Amino acid sequence: MSDWHDRAVMFDCAGESLVGIVSAPRAPAEVGVLVVVGGPQYRAGSHRQFVLLARYLAARGIPCMRFDYRGMGDATGPAVSFEAVNEDIDASIGAFLKAQSGLRQVVLWGLCDGASAVCLYPAATDKRVAASVLLNPWVHTEAGEAKVFLKHYYLQRLTDPAFWKKLLGGQVSLLRSFGSLFSLLRAAGGGASKSSSPAVVKVEDKGSLPERMVKGLASRTEPLAVFLSGRDYVAREFEQVMASSPDWRSVLGSKGVDVQHFPDADHTFSGVGESDAVAEATFRWLLANGFAQA
């Protein structure tokens, strides 16, 4: 018999019905991991990443729950943006604690705009939140994206002999290539423009997305981990924001903050062994911070 099992839970959020899957060890635990899904996708994650993470942790004695936001997967209601899921996260924490006997607190774990949603959640006033793990946080602005592409894509292309060989051979359109380059240069000089959200439900702008995210983190005292992929423009944009913002440097330089790099990983850690590497890194970080037992 396995030392863990999956079970479904249904719970209410603002009059809508949400669905979660709890991967539960048979032994009780006081701290579990709540996966805050990046979107638009449902609770399984890309290449079943969240399923594999949840079962990996449960097999090591750590309960883990993944769930669908309103309007996603098997949840009812209109779709909402990652910037408007505080109610969903709040309801899911309550459902997780109710479903898992002995559970007292959760570690919020999010990838991409799921990580952004974790930053925006008012965890400082929610004693049920013990810590947070952010993977490749989405800090997108038009200017930030343009700077990343200029630095990590166009600079590399312009210094690549193969590009010039193709250009001189007529295999690359000169007007198209340099037209795109000049468009990025204009965007990069535009400052921290507001991020655009594909949400059906909009939220009130209160500064750029990176500013709102760091403000949410600055008020917290619980442990924080940040996992960054080596082959991901989202991670590069985050590093760019981190380097240029005193507020972000202050937060990430604080005691109890652990930044880890995965040089060969793409955005969703889809490579062979990369998903397992993140699951193991999560487990070891939980152990190091006293949220799990070896």
Side-chain angles (χ1 to χ4, degrees), residues 11-223:
F11 52 100
D12 178 82
C13 177
E16 302 295 344
S17 179
L18 273 58
V19 177
I21 302 294
V22 177
S23 296
R26 299 195 181 279
E30 293 190 353
V31 179
V33 172
L34 179 69
V35 176
V36 180
V37 175
Q41 63 180 316
Y42 81 124
R43 61 186 180 269
S46 301
H47 53 85
R48 299 177 72 247
Q49 180 185 16
F50 305 148
V51 177
L52 298 174
L53 170 74
R55 293 175 177 176
Y56 182 98
L57 295 177
R60 288 157 181 76
I62 304 169
C64 186
M65 174 171 154
R66 47 199 171 82
F67 70 101
D68 294 333
Y69 296 141
R70 285 168 286 173
M72 290 292 174
D74 294 310
T76 65
V80 294
S81 159
F82 70 91
E83 297 178 80
V85 294
N86 281 351
E87 287 182 297
D88 303 68
I89 296 173
D90 175 69
S92 66
I93 294 174
F96 191 12
L97 268 59
K98 182 178 179 180
Q100 187 66 18
S101 177
L103 199 63
R104 294 177 177 272
Q105 289 185 301
V106 301
V107 173
L108 300 178
W109 189 103
L111 167 69
C112 192
D113 57 20
S116 307
V118 170
C119 295
L120 298 174
Y121 182 74
T125 59
D126 190 340
K127 301 304 180 185
R128 301 172 300 174
V129 177
S132 300
V133 179
L134 313 176
L135 286 76
N136 298 328
W138 175 260
V139 290
H140 178 71
T141 63
E142 291 180 4
E145 180 184 49
K147 290 175 183 177
V148 166
F149 271 85
L150 285 170
K151 180 178 181 180
H152 297 283
Y153 177 73
Y154 274 98
L155 181 61
Q156 181 179 0
R157 290 205 76 190
L158 292 173
T159 56
D160 183 358
F163 167 75
W164 292 102
K165 183 177 180 180
K166 289 181 179 180
L167 183 66
L168 294 174
Q171 300 177 50
V172 176
S173 169
L174 180 64
L175 289 176
R176 183 180 302 170
S177 296
F178 284 95
S180 177
L181 174 60
F182 292 141
S183 294
L184 284 174
L185 286 169
R186 287 195 299 270
S193 57
K194 299 291 190 298
S195 60
S196 58
S197 169
V200 175
V201 178
K202 300 295 183 180
V203 294
E204 181 183 354
D205 284 329
K206 297 179 180 178
S208 70
L209 176 60
E211 290 168 349
R212 286 180 282 131
M213 288 169 59
V214 75
K215 183 178 180 181
L217 292 177
S219 60
R220 304 184 190 181
T221 57
E222 72 271 12

